[in-house]
Amino acid sequence: MVSAESVHKRFGRLEVLKGISLEVRTGEVMCLLGPSGSGKSTFLRCINHLEKINSGRLSVDGELVGYRQVGDKLHELREAEVARKRAAIGMVFQHFNLFPHMTAEQNVTCAPIRVKGVTREAARTLAREQLGRVGLADKLDAYPTQLSGGQQQRVAIARALAMEPKLMLFDEPTSALDPELVGDVLRAMQQLAGEGMTMIVVTHEMGFAREVADTVVFMDGGVVVESGAPAEVLTNPRHERTQAFLSKVL
């Protein structure tokens, strides 16, 4: 589903990604671990072309992200084409970014109606299904200010799912939540994984990574330090840098 080949990303003179190469199979859950500033979130944003890579190749479901290859050269796609392809990739951010003047149902129906041209009634049916899927069937008419942080994040997940994505990206979805609210969000994500959704999750939730991930990737300094099954990386890490990081968070 996702293939990265020697992906580099710079912000001015600062090289944030220094040749990331990895693959995520369809239906797989990959958790990206690492300290702040290691490049995890930047890599996630490159997958849906919110950030443009400087070199390398990045593809989703067999298609290059943000570019079209003609001969030996890559040509950047027009923004409308990028947006159309981005619609197939759901993304959930650290902060919920809900529209405050819209109810939970309206937040979920907005994109299907405006982007995909779904009828209002069909979008409402879709919203009720997705909000029920994340345990919020009784919060259709609630505004964001009437919801807890965990509930708002689950609305954000439902909003992404309403676009029927082939891939879900989660950028530290629980880091802004009170500890007691984290569990409901993680359970919703675990349910998605059980249903076969392909997911890449930037997280510090080691329990989630251990139980749900198929592959754990530890990043530091813009490179992949090591990757493997959760039992290997979390229990018996090979690299000293991974060992040092895990000794502080486990």
Side-chain angles (χ1 to χ4, degrees):
M1 179 59 74
V2 179
S3 176
E5 302 173 43
S6 193
V7 170
H8 289 255
K9 173 62 183 177
R10 294 185 301 275
F11 293 100
R13 294 183 178 181
L14 178 63
E15 190 173 23
V16 178
L17 300 179
K18 304 175 182 177
I20 300 295
S21 295
L22 53 79
E23 290 188 348
V24 183
R25 298 184 302 274
T26 299
E28 183 178 18
V29 177
M30 175 178 284
C31 283
L32 302 182
L33 311 179
S36 297
S38 59
K40 308 182 302 297
S41 295
T42 297
F43 176 66
L44 212 64
R45 292 171 65 86
C46 288
I47 293 174
N48 61 5
H49 207 58
L50 288 175
E51 299 289 354
K52 302 174 185 179
I53 65 175
N54 295 110
S55 63
R57 296 170 67 88
L58 189 54
S59 61
V60 173
D61 201 18
E63 295 188 5
L64 288 172
V65 174
Y67 298 90
R68 178 184 293 110
Q69 185 163 350
V70 180
D72 295 331
K73 295 185 177 181
L74 296 181
H75 299 267
E76 189 170 2
L77 299 177
R78 295 175 180 173
E79 185 55 40
E81 292 180 88
V82 173
R84 180 174 56 82
K85 293 191 175 186
R86 189 182 287 143
I89 304 173
M91 187 158 186
V92 178
F93 298 89
Q94 179 177 344
H95 298 287
F96 328 123
N97 300 320
L98 299 180
F99 297 115
H101 62 292
M102 293 183 179
T103 64
E105 181 182 85
Q106 290 168 340
N107 265 281
V108 176
T109 61
C110 185
I113 292 171
R114 296 192 178 191
V115 178
K116 299 182 73 173
V118 174
T119 66
R120 191 168 299 276
E121 189 54 42
R124 291 189 66 190
T125 299
L126 187 60
R128 288 192 288 269
E129 289 175 356
Q130 300 304 343
L131 286 167
R133 193 174 177 185
V134 295
L136 294 175
D138 59 338
K139 299 295 183 181
L140 299 177
D141 298 322
Y143 288 90
T145 55
Q146 298 171 313
L147 300 172
S148 70
Q151 290 169 333
Q152 290 185 61
Q153 191 61 294
R154 283 185 282 154
V155 172
I157 294 173
R159 179 176 60 182
L161 292 174
M163 293 296 287
E164 300 178 321
K166 62 180 73 172
L167 168 68
M168 285 286 287
L169 309 176
F170 293 87
D171 189 7
E172 299 193 32
T174 60
S175 62
L177 301 178
D178 292 333
E180 62 190 27
L181 303 176
V182 168
D184 289 338
V185 173
L186 293 180
R187 277 189 289 275
M189 294 169 61
Q190 188 166 6
Q191 179 179 329
L192 281 183
E195 294 170 0
M197 176 63 73
T198 309
M199 298 163 55
I200 303 179
V201 185
V202 174
T203 185
H204 294 293
E205 299 292 341
M206 297 299 156
F208 177 86
R210 189 187 303 275
E211 293 178 22
V212 181
D214 297 291
T215 303
V216 169
V217 174
F218 176 72
M219 292 178 60
D220 189 33
V223 300
V224 173
V225 177
E226 67 177 288
S227 64
E232 296 173 6
V233 177
L234 299 180
T235 306
N236 191 29
R238 300 183 302 275
H239 198 281
E240 287 184 9
R241 182 65 188 93
T242 315
Q243 295 169 8
F245 175 79
L246 292 175
S247 71
K248 296 177 182 177
V249 299
L250 288 179

